[in-house]
Amino acid sequence: LHNRLLRYQALLEEAGLPIRHAPVMSRLYWSTLLEAMRPNPGAIEALEALREKGFAIGVGTNMTADCQFEKLIRLDMIDRVDFLVTSEEVTAEKPDRKLFGLCAEKAGCAPGECAFVGDNLRADALGAIDAGMKGVWLRLEGKDEQPVPGGASIRSLWELPALLETL
């Protein structure tokens, strides 16, 4: 689902255009995104603080593995992450419990001992809670405040280390 090459292929097929353009379109999309992206404020510092406190740090994503690895490398986060779980790997996307279950397994603990932080209320925070984890919604600028039943929300990753100490 998140493979941009397949999306562009389908778009070109539907439009009756040559599919040879799909790889070019995909490379252009990813090179532009990777060049423009920057870590969220507080992300690097939060990862370092959590590592110092002994937390296992993982990434659970609906993105493809090759793209997620490239993002982690470009954002200088790859050496701050202990494991990666992709929807490709589990053949299911968040909020499916399978993805969260493999995150807990790779973290070496029970789901109830895990916190899952993400910027999508339904897929990340509520999905994690449904899977037995502590769900934390990273409510970035412009997102309306909503309660996270059984979970928590933060406005910035600067808040994350202190929050996780209380969960």
Side-chain angles (χ1 to χ4, degrees), residues 35-103:
E35 184 65 32
M37 75 180 178
R38 303 287 179 266
N40 284 339
I44 300 290
E45 295 83 356
L47 293 175
E48 289 174 353
L50 293 172
R51 181 166 301 288
E52 285 177 19
K53 294 178 183 201
F55 285 88
I57 300 170
V59 173
T61 180
N62 285 345
M63 191 53 59
T64 59
D66 59 335
C67 294
Q68 191 61 49
F69 271 106
E70 188 62 32
K71 286 169 62 178
L72 290 169
I73 291 165
R74 297 268 184 125
L75 292 171
D76 193 29
M77 292 183 179
I78 192 72
D79 293 327
R80 294 174 169 93
V81 171
D82 300 309
F83 64 88
L84 173 66
V85 175
T86 68
S87 56
E88 267 181 320
E89 185 177 7
V90 296
T91 65
E93 294 192 337
K94 297 179 289 182
D96 192 290
R97 290 179 180 193
K98 285 173 45 178
L99 192 138
F100 296 103
L102 187 55
C103 286

